Coordinates of all heavy atoms in Angstrom, one line a residue:
M1 N 0.8 -1.2 0.0 CA 0.0 0.0 0.0 C 0.9 1.3 0.0 O 1.9 1.3 0.7 CB -0.9 0.0 1.2 CG -1.8 1.1 1.3 SD -2.9 0.7 2.7 CE -3.8 2.2 2.9
E2 N 0.5 2.2 -0.8 CA 1.3 3.5 -0.9 C 0.9 4.3 0.3 O -0.2 4.4 0.8 CB 0.9 4.2 -2.2 CG 1.3 3.5 -3.4 CD 2.8 3.4 -3.6 OE1 3.5 4.3 -3.2 OE2 3.2 2.3 -4.1
R3 N 2.0 5.0 0.8 CA 1.7 5.9 2.0 C 0.8 7.0 1.7 O -0.1 7.4 2.5 CB 3.0 6.4 2.6 CG 2.8 7.3 3.8 CD 4.0 7.5 4.6 NE 3.6 8.3 5.7 CZ 4.4 8.6 6.7 NH1 5.6 8.1 6.8 NH2 4.0 9.4 7.7
F4 N 1.0 7.7 0.6 CA 0.1 8.8 0.2 C -0.8 8.4 -0.9 O -0.4 7.8 -1.9 CB 1.0 10.0 -0.3 CG 1.8 10.6 0.9 CD1 3.0 10.2 1.2 CD2 1.2 11.7 1.6 CE1 3.7 10.8 2.2 CE2 1.9 12.2 2.7 CZ 3.1 11.8 3.0
Q5 N -2.1 8.8 -0.8 CA -3.1 8.5 -1.8 C -3.8 9.8 -2.2 O -4.2 10.6 -1.3 CB -4.1 7.5 -1.3 CG -3.6 6.1 -1.0 CD -4.6 5.2 -0.6 OE1 -5.7 5.6 0.0 NE2 -4.4 3.9 -0.7
R6 N -3.9 10.0 -3.5 CA -4.6 11.2 -4.0 C -6.1 10.9 -3.9 O -6.6 9.9 -4.4 CB -4.2 11.5 -5.4 CG -4.9 12.8 -5.9 CD -4.5 13.1 -7.3 NE -4.9 12.1 -8.2 CZ -4.3 11.9 -9.4 NH1 -3.4 12.6 -9.8 NH2 -4.7 10.9 -10.1
I7 N -6.9 11.8 -3.3 CA -8.3 11.6 -3.1 C -9.1 12.7 -3.9 O -10.3 12.6 -4.0 CB -8.7 11.6 -1.7 CG1 -8.4 13.0 -1.0 CG2 -8.1 10.5 -0.9 CD1 -9.0 13.1 0.4
Y8 N -8.4 13.7 -4.5 CA -9.1 14.8 -5.2 C -8.2 15.4 -6.2 O -7.0 15.6 -5.9 CB -9.7 15.8 -4.3 CG -10.3 17.0 -4.9 CD1 -11.7 16.9 -5.4 CD2 -9.7 18.2 -5.2 CE1 -12.3 17.9 -6.0 CE2 -10.3 19.2 -5.8 CZ -11.6 19.1 -6.2 OH -12.3 20.1 -6.9
K9 N -8.7 15.7 -7.4 CA -7.9 16.4 -8.4 C -8.8 17.3 -9.2 O -9.9 16.9 -9.6 CB -7.3 15.3 -9.4 CG -6.4 16.0 -10.5 CD -5.8 14.9 -11.4 CE -5.0 15.6 -12.5 NZ -4.5 14.7 -13.4
Q10 N -8.2 18.5 -9.4 CA -9.0 19.5 -10.2 C -8.0 20.3 -11.0 O -6.9 20.8 -10.5 CB -9.7 20.5 -9.3 CG -10.4 21.6 -10.0 CD -11.1 22.6 -9.1 OE1 -11.7 22.2 -8.2 NE2 -10.9 23.9 -9.3
G11 N -8.2 20.5 -12.3 CA -7.4 21.3 -13.2 C -6.3 20.5 -13.9 O -6.1 19.4 -13.7
V12 N -5.7 21.2 -14.9 CA -4.6 20.7 -15.6 C -3.4 21.6 -15.6 O -2.4 21.2 -15.1 CB -5.0 20.5 -17.1 CG1 -3.9 19.9 -17.9 CG2 -6.2 19.5 -17.2
V13 N -3.5 22.8 -16.1 CA -2.4 23.8 -16.0 C -2.3 24.4 -14.6 O -1.2 24.5 -14.1 CB -2.7 24.9 -17.1 CG1 -1.6 26.0 -17.0 CG2 -2.7 24.3 -18.5
D14 N -3.4 24.7 -14.0 CA -3.5 25.2 -12.7 C -4.1 24.1 -11.8 O -5.3 23.9 -11.7 CB -4.3 26.5 -12.6 CG -4.1 27.3 -11.3 OD1 -3.1 27.1 -10.7 OD2 -5.0 28.0 -10.9
L15 N -3.2 23.2 -11.3 CA -3.6 22.0 -10.7 C -3.8 22.0 -9.2 O -2.9 22.6 -8.5 CB -2.5 20.9 -11.0 CG -2.7 19.5 -10.5 CD1 -4.0 18.8 -11.1 CD2 -1.5 18.7 -10.8
F16 N -4.9 21.5 -8.7 CA -5.1 21.4 -7.2 C -5.4 19.9 -6.9 O -6.2 19.3 -7.6 CB -6.3 22.2 -6.8 CG -6.1 23.7 -6.8 CD1 -6.4 24.4 -8.0 CD2 -5.6 24.3 -5.7 CE1 -6.2 25.7 -8.0 CE2 -5.4 25.7 -5.7 CZ -5.8 26.4 -6.9
E17 N -4.7 19.4 -5.9 CA -4.9 18.0 -5.5 C -5.0 17.9 -4.0 O -4.3 18.7 -3.3 CB -3.8 17.0 -6.0 CG -3.8 16.9 -7.5 CD -2.6 16.1 -8.0 OE1 -1.7 15.7 -7.2 OE2 -2.7 15.7 -9.2
I18 N -5.7 16.9 -3.5 CA -5.7 16.7 -2.0 C -5.2 15.2 -1.9 O -5.7 14.3 -2.6 CB -7.1 16.8 -1.4 CG1 -7.5 18.3 -1.5 CG2 -7.0 16.4 0.1 CD1 -8.9 18.6 -0.9
W19 N -4.2 15.1 -1.0 CA -3.6 13.8 -0.7 C -3.7 13.5 0.7 O -3.8 14.4 1.6 CB -2.1 13.9 -1.0 CG -1.8 14.0 -2.5 CD1 -1.9 15.1 -3.3 CD2 -1.3 13.0 -3.4 NE1 -1.5 14.8 -4.6 CE2 -1.2 13.5 -4.7 CE3 -1.0 11.6 -3.2 CZ2 -0.7 12.8 -5.7 CZ3 -0.6 10.9 -4.2 CH2 -0.4 11.4 -5.5
V20 N -3.8 12.2 1.0 CA -3.9 11.7 2.4 C -2.8 10.8 2.7 O -2.4 9.9 2.0 CB -5.3 10.9 2.6 CG1 -5.3 10.3 4.0 CG2 -6.4 11.8 2.4
D21 N -2.1 11.1 3.9 CA -1.1 10.2 4.4 C -1.8 9.0 5.1 O -2.5 9.2 6.1 CB -0.3 10.9 5.4 CG 0.8 10.1 6.1 OD1 0.8 8.9 6.1 OD2 1.8 10.7 6.5
T22 N -1.7 7.8 4.5 CA -2.5 6.7 5.0 C -2.0 6.2 6.4 O -2.7 5.5 7.1 CB -2.4 5.5 4.0 OG1 -1.0 5.1 3.9 CG2 -3.0 5.9 2.7
E23 N -0.8 6.6 6.8 CA -0.4 6.2 8.2 C -0.9 7.1 9.3 O -1.2 6.7 10.4 CB 1.2 6.2 8.2 CG 1.7 5.0 7.4 CD 3.2 4.9 7.5 OE1 3.8 5.5 8.5 OE2 3.8 4.3 6.7
T24 N -1.0 8.4 9.0 CA -1.4 9.4 10.0 C -2.8 9.9 9.8 O -3.5 10.5 10.7 CB -0.5 10.6 10.0 OG1 -0.6 11.3 8.8 CG2 0.9 10.2 10.3
G25 N -3.4 9.8 8.5 CA -4.7 10.4 8.2 C -4.7 11.8 7.9 O -5.7 12.4 7.5
V26 N -3.5 12.5 7.9 CA -3.4 13.9 7.7 C -3.6 14.2 6.2 O -3.0 13.5 5.3 CB -2.0 14.5 8.2 CG1 -1.9 16.0 7.8 CG2 -1.9 14.3 9.7
C27 N -4.4 15.2 5.9 CA -4.7 15.6 4.5 C -3.7 16.8 4.1 O -3.4 17.6 4.9 CB -6.1 16.1 4.4 SG -7.3 14.8 4.6
Y28 N -3.3 16.7 2.9 CA -2.4 17.7 2.3 C -2.9 18.3 1.0 O -3.6 17.6 0.3 CB -1.0 17.1 2.0 CG -0.3 16.6 3.2 CD1 -0.5 15.4 3.8 CD2 0.7 17.4 3.8 CE1 0.1 14.9 4.9 CE2 1.3 17.0 5.0 CZ 1.1 15.7 5.5 OH 1.7 15.3 6.6
L29 N -2.6 19.6 0.8 CA -3.0 20.2 -0.5 C -1.7 20.3 -1.3 O -0.7 20.8 -0.9 CB -3.5 21.6 -0.2 CG -3.8 22.5 -1.5 CD1 -4.9 21.9 -2.3 CD2 -4.1 23.9 -1.1
Y30 N -1.8 19.9 -2.6 CA -0.8 20.1 -3.6 C -1.3 21.0 -4.6 O -2.4 20.9 -5.1 CB -0.4 18.7 -4.2 CG 0.5 18.9 -5.4 CD1 1.9 19.1 -5.1 CD2 0.1 18.7 -6.7 CE1 2.8 19.2 -6.2 CE2 1.0 18.9 -7.7 CZ 2.3 19.1 -7.5 OH 3.2 19.2 -8.5
H31 N -0.5 22.1 -4.9 CA -0.9 23.0 -6.0 C 0.3 23.3 -6.9 O 1.4 23.5 -6.4 CB -1.3 24.4 -5.4 CG -1.7 25.4 -6.4 ND1 -0.9 26.5 -6.6 CD2 -2.7 25.5 -7.3 CE1 -1.4 27.3 -7.5 NE2 -2.5 26.6 -8.0
A32 N 0.0 23.2 -8.2 CA 1.0 23.4 -9.2 C 0.5 24.4 -10.2 O -0.7 24.3 -10.7 CB 1.5 22.1 -9.9
S33 N 1.3 25.3 -10.6 CA 1.0 26.3 -11.6 C 2.2 26.7 -12.4 O 3.1 27.3 -11.8 CB 0.3 27.6 -11.0 OG -0.1 28.5 -12.0
G34 N 2.3 26.2 -13.6 CA 3.5 26.5 -14.4 C 4.7 25.7 -13.7 O 4.5 24.6 -13.3
P35 N 5.8 26.4 -13.6 CA 7.0 25.7 -13.0 C 7.0 25.7 -11.5 O 7.9 25.1 -10.9 CB 8.2 26.6 -13.5 CG 7.6 28.0 -13.6 CD 6.1 27.7 -14.1
A36 N 6.0 26.3 -10.8 CA 6.0 26.4 -9.4 C 5.0 25.3 -8.8 O 4.0 25.1 -9.4 CB 5.6 27.8 -8.9
A37 N 5.3 24.8 -7.6 CA 4.4 23.8 -7.0 C 4.7 23.9 -5.5 O 5.7 24.3 -5.0 CB 4.7 22.4 -7.5
G38 N 3.6 23.4 -4.7 CA 3.8 23.4 -3.3 C 2.9 22.3 -2.7 O 1.9 21.8 -3.3
F39 N 3.3 21.8 -1.5 CA 2.7 20.7 -0.8 C 2.6 21.1 0.6 O 3.7 21.3 1.3 CB 3.5 19.4 -1.1 CG 2.8 18.1 -0.6 CD1 1.8 17.6 -1.4 CD2 3.3 17.4 0.5 CE1 1.2 16.4 -1.0 CE2 2.7 16.2 0.8 CZ 1.6 15.7 0.1
T40 N 1.4 21.2 1.2 CA 1.3 21.7 2.6 C 0.1 21.0 3.2 O -0.9 20.6 2.6 CB 1.1 23.2 2.6 OG1 1.1 23.7 3.9 CG2 -0.2 23.6 1.9
P41 N 0.2 20.8 4.6 CA -0.9 20.2 5.3 C -2.2 21.1 5.2 O -2.0 22.3 5.3 CB -0.4 20.0 6.7 CG 0.7 20.9 6.8 CD 1.3 21.1 5.5
L42 N -3.3 20.5 5.2 CA -4.6 21.3 5.3 C -4.8 21.5 6.8 O -4.7 20.6 7.6 CB -5.8 20.5 4.7 CG -5.8 20.4 3.2 CD1 -7.0 19.5 2.8 CD2 -6.0 21.8 2.6
L43 N -5.2 22.7 7.1 CA -5.5 23.1 8.5 C -6.9 23.5 8.7 O -7.5 24.1 7.8 CB -4.6 24.2 9.0 CG -3.1 24.0 8.8 CD1 -2.3 25.2 9.2 CD2 -2.6 22.7 9.6
D44 N -7.5 23.2 9.9 CA -8.9 23.6 10.2 C -8.8 25.0 10.7 O -7.8 25.7 10.8 CB -9.5 22.6 11.2 CG -8.9 22.5 12.5 OD1 -8.1 23.4 12.9 OD2 -9.2 21.6 13.3
S45 N -10.0 25.5 11.2 CA -10.1 26.9 11.6 C -9.3 27.2 12.9 O -9.0 28.3 13.2 CB -11.6 27.3 11.9 OG -12.1 26.4 12.9

């Protein structure tokens, strides 16, 4: 089983994805636009 699983994907050039760490359950946001990209945990209020 892979540790990270993608559960949501939107876009092609301006890409948004949500990934889940299957060991901890923490959700992460991945965003890519052109040559730039970032991966950060999703936080509640």
Side-chain angles (χ1 to χ4, degrees):
M1 181 172 171
E2 297 293 325
R3 178 162 181 175
F4 290 91
Q5 293 181 338
R6 184 177 61 200
I7 60 170
Y8 177 80
K9 179 180 178 183
Q10 175 183 315
V12 177
V13 176
D14 197 23
L15 178 66
F16 290 90
E17 296 178 345
I18 296 178
W19 290 76
V20 174
D21 181 337
T22 59
E23 290 184 18
T24 65
V26 174
C27 294
Y28 294 85
L29 173 67
Y30 172 76
H31 177 248
S33 183
F39 191 73
T40 187
L42 287 176
L43 304 177
D44 65 16
S45 60

